[in-house]
Amino acid sequence: MYESYWQKKGDETTVVIPGWQFMSYFSDATRLCWFLEPEFAKQIVRLHNVVGNAVTENRHIVVGTGSTQLFQAALYALSPCAEAEPISVVSAAPYYSSYPLITDCLKSRLYKWAGDARSFSKNGPYIELVTSPNNPDGFARRSVVNGSEGILIHDLAYYWPQYTPISSRANYDLMLFTVSKSTGHAGMRIGWALVKDEDVARKMTKYIEINTIGVSKDSQVRAAKVLKVISDNIEGPNEGDSFFEFSYRVMAKRWKQLREAVQQSGLFSVSDFPPQLCMFLNRVFEPQPAFAWIKCEGDIEDCESFLRGKKILTRGGKHFGVSPKYVRISMLDRDKNYETFVRRLSTIRS
Amino acid sequence: MYESYWQKKGDETTVVIPGWQFMSYFSDATRLCWFLEPEFAKQIVRLHNVVGNAVTENRHIVVGTGSTQLFQAALYALSPCAEAEPISVVSAAPYYSSYPLITDCLKSRLYKWAGDARSFSKNGPYIELVTSPNNPDGFARRSVVNGSEGILIHDLAYYWPQYTPISSRANYDLMLFTVSKSTGHAGMRIGWALVKDEDVARKMTKYIEINTIGVSKDSQVRAAKVLKVISDNIEGPNEGDSFFEFSYRVMAKRWKQLREAVQQSGLFSVSDFPPQLCMFLNRVFEPQPAFAWIKCEGDIEDCESFLRGKKILTRGGKHFGVSPKYVRISMLDRDKNYETFVRRLSTIRS
């Protein structure tokens, strides 16, 4: 979906890397996160300040091979070492379907997936994942467990103005971001964490050292360039041509098409979101999430199978810890695929 | 150390990546390893065929964020799912110091580090890591455990003609390689596995999907270019200018300097290696490993501390499962640092 914007920008975001550059494991040996490219760190801080979506002051930046790796680094860093039992990891359903898979992949004795945060009532320490806006349903979220020993990880992959009004600068202890959702460059496998506590940032860095001995320099260099072009264009004379204006407009158009298709069909429903003022775009709008979270109304129990029969590929609610009457569909596919999807959806009758 | 070769090659290995390219998670959805760039796969096969160091026929290629991630992917893929107890992971001492750290990092219930393969005698299945040439001591290796249920992982990071004579094409079930040791591009974080069994390759791919949702496209594209230039130069008219001729000569010079320094000092010893015919370089030579594995002779018990006092930073034998009389030193540092090291070493007296 974002491809056409970057095509239009032409050579502005092209990177050129000679064969003898970025050969070392190290980016800056004096930094806590020694494999973080300084220019990328600079552009991360700059973009957050330009957009106003996260506090960067007094934060350590840890770069990861996507935010997926950073999530694991956070689990490693936040798990108590001395405990006999693994710490519980929870998130309110519907939650990102990969969280349980990632958490339990290696059957760690440090942590284990404990399901829906809303039904979690165990005493003692726990880790709660707060994804806001949420994947899959797009709602803004806060922590829901009412325990005194909770440690929070905020996954803010979708807290960008094309998806949701930026109402304030997020100011949490551990925040995760990724280029795949902010700029569309999933193939780079680049994410970053803003971490308040130095010891936690150090342990996260240690995990990434053990797991992959750092993060691709080439992709960090390219990500730095992409972030720089976004900030340059926002601060430049053609503000209306900025990346977030472009992507906001595409998302607005797609959500309009989706709601029309849902109405035409009559078999499905999607949530309404309360409109809010976006401090960055300086306008009031309803969230327009990166995923559509669709409910099959009426008798259809297995919405994923039903839609597969109509040649629409989705992921069913069960993966997200809720009823199979729900499905998740990406709103970020290429134009042609998206058009096909809404056309097919709109013509489904009972 | 390899920087000057790549500088000399100039623009030949430069990559140019426009902002709109390689945005997707996918490289080739029809492949078993769906995040492997086809051009990189092609250049891997080509280079192995040109050098003659590994069989690529009937092998699946899995790309990883360095061979470190592939090692973990292999542990995940080879661990029996149904076992009550974690499978033992062993390697003959001295072994690569990161193996125990990586294996036990998350306290997995799937596998656990069980130390020196030579003293391993437990019944039942186990995983043995065979690093050949070995890190840290440079010797060619075979598996040493005499069990019937052993599963082998061959780490062949150093099986390239600048380090050791290529005597035959390695032909094992699971072989790991990495650009950091073959071409010197550690910052790319790119490794690859050649895997005979389809199911194992599939599970390794699954692990990398869960761990990092694939591998940086930018670095794969760059690695493909670097491998291509190496093969092109070997097959071209200026064979004497090839990467392996260059790196062979640098290593030969450095090992000569090292042996002279060791002799001048009289306090240390390094192993002699039996000379062998290299089928690729078509000459007989002694292995010239990427690390010097130095023993403090006489009364010095803690060689690492002793050398630290002489301003030489090393890693002590304990990390590799053996006596602190041994230390490991990289032979791949920049020219200037290497010269300083041998000068300092040569002047140490008791």
Side-chain angles (χ1 to χ4, degrees):
Chain A
M1 172 189 129
Y2 298 123
E3 236 172 24
S4 59
Y5 180 83
W6 296 114
Q7 274 168 341
K8 215 175 53 184
K9 284 282 138 195
D11 286 346
E12 225 180 304
T13 39
T14 298
V15 293
V16 177
I17 307 179
W20 64 87
Q21 280 192 359
F22 308 108
M23 292 186 68
S24 169
Y25 287 107
F26 291 90
S27 295
D28 180 353
T30 65
R31 247 180 214 276
L32 184 151
C33 184
W34 52 267
F35 47 77
L36 169 62
E37 283 295 312
E39 174 64 16
F40 184 45
K42 190 179 133 189
Q43 295 301 336
I44 288 169
V45 170
R46 182 179 171 211
L47 186 63
H48 281 307
N49 288 341
V50 165
V51 173
N53 64 337
V55 169
T56 56
E57 289 81 14
N58 302 313
R59 293 301 198 282
H60 300 278
I61 301 176
V62 181
V63 63
T65 309
S67 58
T68 297
Q69 187 182 39
L70 289 163
F71 165 52
Q72 291 158 82
L75 292 184
Y76 174 80
L78 299 173
S79 299
C81 315
E83 297 291 314
E85 240 189 300
I87 190 169
S88 296
V89 180
V90 297
S91 188
Y95 43 70
Y96 177 33
S97 52
S98 290
Y99 287 151
L101 296 178
I102 295 169
T103 308
D104 286 345
C105 171
L106 298 181
K107 297 187 182 173
S108 173
R109 284 189 186 84
L110 301 178
Y111 47 76
K112 70 156 197 285
W113 180 250
D116 188 356
R118 289 207 180 81
S119 53
F120 181 73
S121 58
K122 220 173 136 189
N123 284 324
Y126 63 90
I127 294 172
E128 182 179 353
L129 285 154
V130 182
T131 310
S132 184
N134 189 43
N135 172 359
D137 69 5
F139 281 97
R141 282 195 161 184
R142 296 174 167 278
S143 62
V144 301
V145 185
N146 202 3
S148 58
E149 296 177 69
I151 312 170
L152 302 182
I153 299 173
H154 279 82
D155 183 344
L156 304 184
Y158 303 96
Y159 193 49
W160 295 98
Q162 68 268 51
Y163 304 123
T164 198
I166 303 301
S167 54
S168 66
R169 297 208 298 163
N171 186 11
Y172 303 107
D173 288 352
L174 203 167
M175 302 183 274
L176 304 181
F177 291 93
T178 163
V179 291
S180 70
K181 307 310 174 200
S182 51
T183 77
H185 290 88
M188 286 183 188
R189 310 309 313 121
I190 291 288
W192 64 94
L194 303 177
V195 186
K196 206 183 244 171
D197 186 86
E198 180 177 324
D199 193 46
V200 171
R202 213 174 281 284
K203 281 185 192 154
M204 288 178 71
T205 300
K206 189 73 197 168
Y207 173 80
I208 294 172
E209 180 187 330
I210 294 173
N211 189 213
T212 55
I213 326 185
V215 175
S216 162
K217 302 281 174 280
D218 312 306
S219 287
Q220 288 189 63
V221 166
R222 197 169 168 229
K225 184 72 165 262
V226 167
L227 263 48
K228 181 176 185 298
V229 168
I230 292 179
S231 292
D232 284 353
N233 275 280
I234 291 168
E235 292 180 331
N238 299 314
E239 206 196 315
D241 187 39
S242 87
F243 173 74
F244 294 117
E245 280 291 346
F246 166 86
S247 48
Y248 167 86
R249 283 195 303 266
V250 178
M251 291 306 293
K253 183 183 162 202
R254 288 186 173 195
W255 269 93
K256 190 162 170 281
Q257 290 175 299
L258 178 74
R259 290 190 187 279
E260 284 167 4
V262 163
Q263 203 169 18
Q264 274 174 42
S265 163
L267 271 189
F268 310 100
S269 65
V270 288
S271 291
D272 288 316
F273 300 99
Q276 244 189 311
L277 173 65
C278 177
M279 314 287 274
F280 173 73
L281 292 175
N282 202 21
R283 74 181 69 120
V284 174
F285 66 92
E286 291 169 22
Q288 37 195 43
F291 295 104
W293 183 239
I294 293 177
K295 189 180 176 191
C296 276
E297 297 293 344
D299 297 338
I300 304 155
E301 283 308 311
D302 184 344
C303 193
E304 183 180 348
S305 301
F306 175 73
L307 285 172
R308 200 186 305 119
K310 309 291 180 184
K311 292 183 19 190
I312 297 175
L313 294 179
T314 66
R315 181 167 279 196
K318 267 192 178 170
H319 297 282
F320 305 91
V322 297
S323 150
K325 285 183 86 72
Y326 288 89
V327 293
R328 189 191 79 169
I329 300 173
S330 172
M331 295 290 283
L332 307 181
D333 208 338
R334 288 203 170 97
D335 280 335
K336 213 179 121 189
N337 297 339
Y338 187 77
E339 302 286 343
T340 307
F341 152 60
V342 283
R343 202 176 50 244
R344 284 182 184 158
L345 192 75
S346 67
T347 58
I348 297 174
R349 298 288 179 275
S350 54
Chain B
M1 171 188 130
Y2 298 122
E3 236 171 26
S4 59
Y5 180 82
W6 297 114
Q7 274 167 344
K8 215 176 52 184
K9 283 283 139 193
D11 287 345
E12 224 180 305
T13 39
T14 297
V15 292
V16 177
I17 307 179
W20 64 88
Q21 279 191 359
F22 307 110
M23 293 187 67
S24 169
Y25 287 107
F26 291 90
S27 294
D28 180 352
T30 65
R31 250 181 212 273
L32 184 150
C33 185
W34 52 267
F35 46 78
L36 169 61
E37 283 294 312
E39 174 64 16
F40 184 45
K42 190 180 134 189
Q43 295 301 336
I44 287 169
V45 170
R46 182 180 170 208
L47 186 63
H48 281 306
N49 288 342
V50 166
V51 173
N53 64 338
V55 169
T56 55
E57 289 81 15
N58 302 313
R59 294 300 198 281
H60 300 277
I61 301 176
V62 181
V63 64
T65 310
S67 57
T68 298
Q69 187 182 38
L70 289 163
F71 165 52
Q72 291 157 82
L75 292 184
Y76 173 81
L78 298 173
S79 298
C81 317
E83 297 292 313
E85 241 190 300
I87 190 168
S88 297
V89 180
V90 298
S91 188
Y95 43 71
Y96 177 32
S97 53
S98 290
Y99 287 153
L101 296 178
I102 295 169
T103 308
D104 286 344
C105 171
L106 298 181
K107 298 188 181 170
S108 173
R109 284 191 185 85
L110 300 178
Y111 47 76
K112 69 155 197 286
W113 180 250
D116 187 355
R118 287 205 181 82
S119 53
F120 181 75
S121 59
K122 219 172 135 189
N123 284 324
Y126 62 90
I127 294 172
E128 181 178 353
L129 284 155
V130 182
T131 310
S132 184
N134 190 40
N135 171 1
D137 69 5
F139 281 98
R141 284 194 157 185
R142 294 176 169 276
S143 61
V144 301
V145 184
N146 203 2
S148 58
E149 295 177 69
I151 311 171
L152 303 181
I153 299 173
H154 279 82
D155 183 344
L156 304 183
Y158 303 96
Y159 193 48
W160 295 99
Q162 68 266 54
Y163 305 123
T164 199
I166 302 301
S167 55
S168 66
R169 298 207 298 164
N171 186 10
Y172 303 108
D173 288 352
L174 202 167
M175 302 184 273
L176 304 182
F177 292 91
T178 162
V179 291
S180 70
K181 307 311 173 199
S182 51
T183 77
H185 291 88
M188 286 183 188
R189 312 308 313 119
I190 292 288
W192 65 93
L194 303 179
V195 186
K196 206 181 245 173
D197 186 86
E198 181 178 322
D199 192 44
V200 171
R202 212 174 281 285
K203 281 185 192 153
M204 289 178 70
T205 300
K206 189 73 196 170
Y207 173 81
I208 294 172
E209 179 187 328
I210 294 173
N211 190 213
T212 55
I213 325 186
V215 174
S216 162
K217 302 280 174 282
D218 312 307
S219 288
Q220 289 189 64
V221 166
R222 197 168 167 229
K225 185 72 165 262
V226 168
L227 263 49
K228 180 178 185 298
V229 169
I230 292 179
S231 291
D232 284 351
N233 274 280
I234 291 168
E235 293 181 330
N238 300 313
E239 206 195 317
D241 186 37
S242 88
F243 173 76
F244 293 117
E245 279 292 345
F246 166 87
S247 48
Y248 168 85
R249 284 194 303 266
V250 178
M251 291 306 294
K253 184 184 163 202
R254 289 187 172 194
W255 269 92
K256 191 163 169 281
Q257 289 174 300
L258 177 75
R259 290 189 186 280
E260 284 165 6
V262 162
Q263 204 168 18
Q264 274 174 44
S265 163
L267 271 189
F268 309 99
S269 65
V270 287
S271 291
D272 288 318
F273 300 99
Q276 244 190 312
L277 173 64
C278 177
M279 312 288 274
F280 173 74
L281 292 175
N282 203 20
R283 74 182 68 119
V284 173
F285 66 93
E286 292 169 22
Q288 36 196 43
F291 295 103
W293 183 240
I294 293 178
K295 189 182 177 188
C296 275
E297 297 293 346
D299 296 339
I300 303 155
E301 284 307 312
D302 184 346
C303 192
E304 182 180 349
S305 301
F306 175 74
L307 285 173
R308 202 186 302 119
K310 310 290 181 187
K311 292 184 15 188
I312 297 175
L313 294 178
T314 66
R315 179 167 280 196
K318 268 191 177 171
H319 296 282
F320 305 91
V322 298
S323 152
K325 287 182 87 72
Y326 288 90
V327 293
R328 188 192 80 168
I329 299 174
S330 173
M331 296 290 283
L332 306 182
D333 209 338
R334 288 205 168 94
D335 281 335
K336 216 180 119 186
N337 297 339
Y338 187 77
E339 301 287 343
T340 307
F341 152 62
V342 285
R343 203 176 50 244
R344 285 182 183 158
L345 192 76
S346 67
T347 58
I348 297 173
R349 298 287 179 274
S350 56

